[in-house]
Amino acid sequence: MRDFRARGATSTMDGVPEDQTTEKPRTPEPLTQYLQRTVQRVRAFDRRHPLVWDLHLAGFWTTAALIDFTGDGWTRIARSTDVPGGLVLALSLALSVPLLWRRSHPRAVLLLMAPALLANAWTGALLQAALLQLLVVFHIALRSPLRSLWWAAAVCMAPVVLTVVRHPQGPADEDLVPQAMSLLVAAAVGVTVRTRRDYTAALEDRARRLETERDQQARLAAAAERARIAREMHDIIGHNLSVITGLADGGRYAAARSPERAGQALDAIAGTSRQALSELRRLLDVLREDEPEPADLTPQPALTDLDRLLDGVRAAGLPVTTTVEGTPKISPGRQLTLYRVIQEALTNALKHAGPNATSSIVLSYADTGAVTVTVTDTGRGGPLRGNAGRGLTGMRERTALYGGTLEAGPRPHPEQGWRVHLHLPEEPAQ
């Protein structure tokens, strides 16, 4: 039997060779991305271990200076070759070894090199290691205040002037102009790198601040949404439970005398419970992240729903009278505020007013769009009713949204009961 494993591909159960089912080779990344990532890694390593790079660079230039000394390469450009070998060695080391501290103390390094630069010019050796001063000037432009470049330029130009005076060779501009141009290029490169670095740092800082502001705004929005949901749940559940409690109490007393009235109370309790569950379900649907069904678009309560609200309160045992002055011409948002404030005031009356209490509502609409609502009851007053938890807080928050005022407290003596007074000013012109 032939052994198919000797071949380059084996068959699978689907009849497709295994070598054809392997993943496609990845597209090689662009060279720029590879270089950028490599540079980032090198910079990250340098930030963690700065001495490694400094030792390598200073060691490289020190070695180059020593090669120039031992190979007598410096004699080819020197203005005077009668310089002692020991002095040339000392100058080579003095101009290269200080590069080890060029990044941490660039100005001090240049001042440390200055005597060697002057001695190099005075003797006429003109060692090529003197060009390392340009690297120090670059770091001064990169890391020090820019005003330091003026005295750095003076320190670097002084040896050139000394060379022109002590060892003249041809026109003076042949020595001065190249040195000045070299200093200008080194300083310009340093300023450019510094500007780019500062710009990048500013962008990163701005990105961090924007991210922080975004997180803060998200937290504030979440807190505001939690407060809004808490208000809605309090208004929905609190009011309906108060109505149910009143109906249950009334049904219990009516059961012994009038079974028919008890049945009506139970029907009212069932209807109020279903309404509360429906409103609560609609509110909780908004919180669902995975929403397979379209959101419920049932409108929020408005002034046209007041009659149904009052019917439920009356059925719970609190007689309510209503007086309307003027014609309502207000936005749906302001209508919802009025509805919720009236609902909360009646809920508190059901909870705290006690038996045989009555309530009255006065709605006054002005032609300018301002509206005033006063809800009073004849039950038990007192400051304890002001500690109703979220109720009064929710009413004040809703009122503040439209720049209104809310007063809630016991009615003045000798009157008995509680009074809630709401005023919403004229709506601003759109």
Side-chain angles (χ1 to χ4, degrees), residues 5-337:
R5 290 178 297 179
R7 297 192 177 184
T10 60
S11 298
T12 64
M13 294 182 64
D14 296 333
V16 181
E18 289 183 356
D19 60 346
Q20 296 182 11
T21 60
T22 57
E23 295 182 359
K24 295 182 180 180
R26 295 181 179 179
T27 304
E29 60 180 348
L31 180 60
T32 54
Q33 295 182 5
Y34 176 78
L35 293 177
Q36 184 178 10
R37 190 169 65 251
T38 303
V39 170
Q40 291 176 352
R41 291 177 178 175
V42 171
R43 289 178 176 174
F45 179 82
D46 183 48
R47 284 193 296 268
R48 294 192 303 268
H49 310 284
L51 186 60
V52 174
W53 174 248
D54 291 341
L55 285 174
H56 278 76
L57 188 137
F60 173 81
W61 289 115
T62 301
T63 303
L66 293 177
I67 291 175
D68 185 52
F69 162 69
T70 57
D72 293 335
W74 63 276
T75 58
R76 298 189 181 94
I77 61 173
R79 300 285 175 90
S80 174
T81 57
D82 297 333
V83 184
L87 180 59
V88 174
L89 176 61
L91 292 177
S92 299
L93 295 176
L95 294 174
S96 57
V97 172
L99 293 179
L100 182 62
W101 301 278
R102 76 196 184 284
R103 291 197 290 185
S104 57
H105 304 88
R107 291 181 292 182
V109 168
L110 184 61
L111 291 177
L112 184 63
M113 295 172 63
L117 292 172
L118 293 174
N120 182 50
W122 179 266
T123 59
L126 301 185
L127 299 177
Q128 298 185 45
L131 296 176
L132 296 177
Q133 64 183 331
L134 300 178
L135 186 58
V136 181
V137 171
F138 165 79
H139 282 280
I140 291 177
L142 180 63
R143 304 173 188 278
S144 301
L146 294 181
R147 61 178 178 272
S148 302
L149 290 174
W150 293 107
W151 67 260
V155 170
C156 295
M157 290 300 297
V160 182
V161 174
L162 181 60
T163 300
V164 171
V165 173
R166 183 168 173 78
H167 304 282
Q169 183 177 343
D173 56 356
E174 292 184 357
D175 293 322
L176 296 175
V177 173
Q179 178 70 2
M181 293 298 297
S182 300
L183 290 174
L184 182 61
V185 170
V189 173
V191 171
T192 302
V193 175
R194 179 178 188 162
T195 303
R196 180 64 179 177
R197 185 186 61 181
D198 293 344
Y199 177 72
T200 303
L203 289 180
E204 293 176 352
D205 179 68
R206 182 171 181 268
R208 284 192 297 269
R209 286 189 286 106
L210 289 176
E211 184 177 358
T212 302
E213 292 176 2
R214 182 199 63 191
D215 295 340
Q216 292 176 347
Q217 291 175 357
R219 286 193 294 268
L220 292 175
E225 186 65 13
R226 284 195 298 268
R228 185 190 70 82
I229 293 172
R231 284 197 307 266
E232 293 294 333
M233 294 186 68
H234 175 274
D235 293 340
I236 293 171
I237 298 176
H239 172 75
N240 287 286
L241 287 180
S242 298
V243 172
I244 291 173
T245 302
L247 291 171
D249 291 339
R252 182 180 60 184
Y253 290 114
R257 300 180 181 180
S258 177
E260 182 181 353
R261 294 290 300 275
Q264 292 176 357
L266 291 175
D267 291 339
I269 290 175
T272 304
S273 301
R274 282 191 292 268
Q275 179 184 356
L277 287 174
S278 177
E279 294 184 4
L280 182 60
R281 186 179 296 111
R282 175 174 57 83
L283 180 62
L284 295 178
D285 284 343
V286 179
L287 304 179
R288 297 176 58 184
E289 296 181 358
D290 50 341
E291 195 170 328
E293 299 178 358
D296 188 2
L297 300 181
T298 303
Q300 292 277 22
L303 293 179
T304 54
D305 300 307
L306 272 179
D307 291 339
R308 186 175 61 180
L309 173 67
L310 298 180
D311 290 341
V313 174
R314 293 187 183 107
L318 179 65
V320 183
T321 60
T322 305
T323 302
V324 179
E325 301 173 355
T327 303
K329 297 179 181 179
I330 57 178
S331 63
R334 293 158 72 93
Q335 291 189 38
L336 176 61
T337 297

